[in-house]
Amino acid sequence: MFGNIANNLGIGSGINSAQLVNDLLSASQGVKLGQLNQRDQLNSSRISAMAATQSALTTFAAAVKETLNGQGFVGDLVSGRQDLATATVLEGGRPEGLPASVEVIQIAVAQREISDVFGSASDAVGERTLTIDNNGGSFDVVIDSSNDSLTGMRDAINASNSGVTAMILTDNGGARLVMEAQEGEENAFTITQSGPSAAMNLTNIAPATDSIIEVDGIQLINSSNTVTGAVPGVQISLLAAEAGTSFTISGDSEPLDVRGLVTEFVTAYNELRSSLNAATAPGASGSSGGPLAGDRGAREVMRKLSQLTSTPLTDIGEFKTLAGIGIRTENDGTLSIDDTRLDAAIALDSGAIKLMLEPAVVTETEIGLSGALDAISESLQDESGALTVAQERLEAIRESFAEAREQINTDGDRLREQLERQFAGLERQLSILRSTQSYVEQQFASFNDNN
């Protein structure tokens, strides 16, 4: 009878306090950490989607600019007579007026003067003063005992900053001095000599001449063989003259037609907009929406882009907006082309459409399609822009999650210490109970023996 009392007390049953503490901590922290990790994962997906949106917007704007670049219309430039002239696109330029018919009548030549033959470059030439006169002024070159040689004269001329350079040519007959200016008539020069020595004989072997070309029947004269004003956006390098021979400078690909350009733009825009629509789609029928569903920054990107068709790209010409040539915005934000309206605009003035999309000269009011996209991108990504603010907000949320996770772990450490103290006390109490149990059992055993 008395033995059953101790059994009913449960005294002596083992307790795994370490496992019990872990289980209690897991129950306390598991739900909190699970919810926090779920929210952090969603926020991370939003950060990635926002970065992808920013990258897509920048890539789209850059692709449009590259397509609109004048070189994009004509490809690389090709000269029909590369032995007479070559052509390249000027940096930052946009070729116009191609193909162009060119005739090289005369190339620019630099004036050259040559001296008599001396035995060697070290031979004395006689003390004197050479005075070089040209459009840059008058320059004195003094030959005295310190530099009285052909070599000394060459070095003194090159150091005069007169625009005239000298060199020594040597062959079996000896050495002679050659002086040369920059090409073109405006760089012609004269030389006078004074001093105790007899004048040195100088012979003109090449008079200064300008280049003369005809472009589409218009004669153009330049001081250089590098011509940049004959065809807008194009540099022509003259190599040789052949009067009466015309050749063509053109692009190596067909110019992009206006319809092709508009279609290419609309297709690229719709790809961007469709990706934004997917990223911001709300959940339906219990399914999760896009990672940027309800995000203010993403909504602002879409709002700005939706204004593109009505944004004035120029303030001159027949057409000023994309809507004016038949590009319209659909309910889902994508663009479509009113073919009838676009065909009528092209038939009326396709050149005006090109200049609207890419003005020859960009101004505050003539921004073109690239300028409009740049303005949208800059407004979204500046310090107070919607994309920048959205990214900063999402990063702040990520930091707050990290701080919350750290706090949960700190609270868990504190709870572990508390539970371990409590269970240590419980172990002490159990130890006392076990001692009491042993004593009681001994007493009952003694009582039974006596009876």
Side-chain angles (χ1 to χ4, degrees), residues 186-227:
E186 68 177 12
N187 295 311
F189 63 93
T190 60
I191 295 179
T192 57
Q193 304 179 51
S194 61
S197 299
M200 175 187 294
N201 290 326
L202 295 174
T203 303
N204 178 265
I205 58 173
T209 59
D210 291 334
S211 65
I212 303 174
I213 63 173
E214 279 193 4
V215 177
D216 293 332
I218 301 173
Q219 189 174 100
L220 302 168
I221 300 174
N222 290 275
S223 297
S224 171
N225 287 318
T226 301
V227 180

Side-chain angles (χ1 to χ4, degrees), residues 136-445:
S138 183
F139 306 86
D140 288 337
V141 179
V142 178
I143 308 299
D144 56 24
S145 59
S146 65
N147 60 353
D148 185 9
S149 67
L150 208 59
T151 299
M153 180 177 285
R154 178 201 62 190
D155 295 342
I157 292 172
N158 289 337
S160 68
N161 295 319
S162 62
V164 175
T165 58
M167 59 183 173
I168 296 173
L169 300 182
T170 304
D171 62 8
N172 292 339
R176 69 215 70 191
L177 186 75
V178 179
M179 290 180 284
E180 183 175 1
Q182 297 295 316
E183 58 193 22
E185 290 183 10
E186 68 177 12
N187 295 311
F189 63 93
T190 60
I191 295 179
T192 57
Q193 304 179 51
S194 61
S197 299
M200 175 187 294
N201 290 326
L202 295 174
T203 303
N204 178 265
I205 58 173
T209 59
D210 291 334
S211 65
I212 303 174
I213 63 173
E214 279 193 4
V215 177
D216 293 332
I218 301 173
Q219 189 174 100
L220 302 168
I221 300 174
N222 290 275
S223 297
S224 171
N225 287 318
T226 301
V227 180
T228 58
V231 179
V234 176
Q235 175 178 295
I236 303 174
S237 299
L238 307 181
L239 304 177
E242 192 172 310
T245 299
S246 297
F247 57 93
T248 300
I249 291 177
S250 62
D252 64 357
S253 61
E254 288 296 322
L256 189 64
D257 66 291
V258 171
R259 172 172 286 283
L261 177 62
V262 171
T263 301
E264 186 175 343
F265 164 73
V266 169
T267 300
Y269 178 95
N270 287 344
E271 290 178 359
L272 172 64
R273 183 60 194 236
S274 296
S275 66
L276 286 172
N277 288 347
T280 57
S285 302
S287 62
S288 59
L292 296 178
D295 187 90
R296 296 190 301 273
R299 286 201 304 269
E300 182 64 10
V301 172
M302 298 167 75
R303 188 186 73 83
K304 290 279 191 183
L305 287 173
S306 67
Q307 297 174 345
L308 190 58
T309 55
S310 59
T311 299
L313 306 182
T314 181
D315 62 348
I316 61 174
E318 185 70 26
F319 308 106
K320 298 177 175 60
T321 67
L322 294 175
I325 60 173
I327 300 178
R328 61 193 178 199
T329 303
E330 301 297 335
N331 292 333
D332 63 353
T334 60
L335 301 180
S336 64
I337 300 174
D338 183 334
D339 291 325
T340 301
R341 192 169 181 181
L342 178 59
D343 288 340
I346 293 173
L348 180 63
D349 194 344
S350 62
I353 299 176
K354 283 187 177 181
L355 289 176
M356 178 190 74
L357 297 175
E358 186 192 13
V361 178
V362 175
T363 66
E364 290 184 358
T365 56
E366 295 181 57
I367 59 175
L369 190 53
S370 292
L373 286 171
D374 285 343
I376 291 174
S377 183
E378 289 169 5
S379 68
L380 290 171
Q381 299 183 63
D382 64 16
E383 291 184 359
S384 58
L387 275 177
T388 301
V389 171
Q391 288 174 320
E392 290 175 349
R393 173 171 50 81
L394 293 173
E395 287 294 338
I397 292 174
R398 175 153 61 182
E399 291 177 4
S400 71
F401 286 157
E403 293 172 357
R405 186 177 289 104
E406 184 177 349
Q407 185 61 49
I408 290 174
N409 291 331
T410 299
D411 293 343
D413 292 342
R414 189 180 301 113
L415 178 60
R416 177 182 293 278
E417 293 176 0
Q418 179 182 349
L419 290 173
E420 287 176 347
R421 286 196 301 269
Q422 290 175 346
F423 279 105
L426 178 61
E427 289 292 340
R428 289 195 296 272
Q429 293 298 323
L430 286 175
S431 178
I432 294 173
L433 286 174
R434 289 192 186 95
S435 297
T436 302
Q437 177 189 16
S438 178
Y439 173 75
V440 170
E441 288 176 345
Q442 290 176 3
Q443 292 300 314
F444 280 130

Side-chain angles (χ1 to χ4, degrees), residues 86-164:
T86 60
T88 56
V89 177
L90 284 171
E91 184 176 357
R94 184 172 72 91
E96 297 178 32
L98 296 179
S101 175
V102 178
E103 177 186 350
V104 182
I105 300 171
Q106 175 178 290
I107 64 171
V109 175
Q111 178 181 343
R112 304 184 80 192
E113 303 285 336
I114 189 169
S115 73
D116 288 339
V117 178
F118 289 78
S120 69
S122 61
D123 283 1
V125 295
E127 297 182 15
R128 72 189 67 243
T129 298
L130 300 178
T131 301
I132 301 173
D133 291 294
N134 55 24
N135 63 357
S138 183
F139 306 86
D140 288 337
V141 179
V142 178
I143 308 299
D144 56 24
S145 59
S146 65
N147 60 353
D148 185 9
S149 67
L150 208 59
T151 299
M153 180 177 285
R154 178 201 62 190
D155 295 342
I157 292 172
N158 289 337
S160 68
N161 295 319
S162 62
V164 175

Side-chain angles (χ1 to χ4, degrees), residues 53-64:
T53 298
Q54 182 176 12
S55 176
L57 180 62
T58 301
T59 301
F60 173 67
V64 170

